[in-house]
Amino acid sequence: MLMPPLESDIDPLLHSPIRLRVCAILEGLQRCSFLELRTRIGVSDSVLSKHLSKLEVAGVVELNGRRGSGSGVVVSLTREGRGRWRTYLVQLSEALAGDS
């Protein structure tokens, strides 16, 4: 039996590998510095900035501190972001189990 593509039922904003990793890291933390996120994920400042910007516009993360080079910026999941992350995990689990 063929299963539909995973992407059909899964939040495309969070399903991007880099944004997925950002949310997974932030889920267990109150907040994380931009520099620590960059190091953990292993991407350049510009790549991380691009993905954080998309998450911020969608209300998933909040960025506080000095903007520009990334140093001094602290990132956290918003309440909405935590809920959206939990929903994403359920969607992913269901898609992998074939329950969708």
Side-chain angles (χ1 to χ4, degrees), residues 1 16 27 35 75 88:
M1 175 164 125
S16 159
E27 176 188 32
L35 297 177
V75 185
Y88 169 82

Side-chain angles (χ1 to χ4, degrees), residues 13 53-62 77-82 84:
L13 178 74
S53 178
K54 287 182 181 189
L55 290 169
E56 184 180 34
V57 167
V60 174
V61 300
E62 181 176 80
L77 280 175
T78 62
R79 175 177 276 189
E80 178 186 337
R82 288 188 186 280
R84 194 165 171 175

Side-chain angles (χ1 to χ4, degrees), residues 2-3 8 13 20 22 25 27-29 34-35 37 39 45 48-49 60 86 88 91 93 95 100:
L2 292 175
M3 292 181 60
S8 63
L13 178 74
L20 187 151
V22 165
I25 291 166
E27 176 188 32
L29 304 172
F34 179 95
L35 297 177
L37 272 177
T39 300
D45 286 5
L48 182 56
S49 290
V60 174
R86 288 184 193 111
Y88 169 82
Q91 291 170 336
S93 178
S100 50

Side-chain angles (χ1 to χ4, degrees), residues 38-67:
R38 183 196 66 198
T39 300
R40 285 183 175 205
I41 296 170
V43 294
S44 67
D45 286 5
S46 62
V47 168
L48 182 56
S49 290
K50 176 182 147 190
H51 287 280
L52 288 177
S53 178
K54 287 182 181 189
L55 290 169
E56 184 180 34
V57 167
V60 174
V61 300
E62 181 176 80
L63 279 65
N64 292 298
R66 267 192 347 253
R67 304 239 181 163

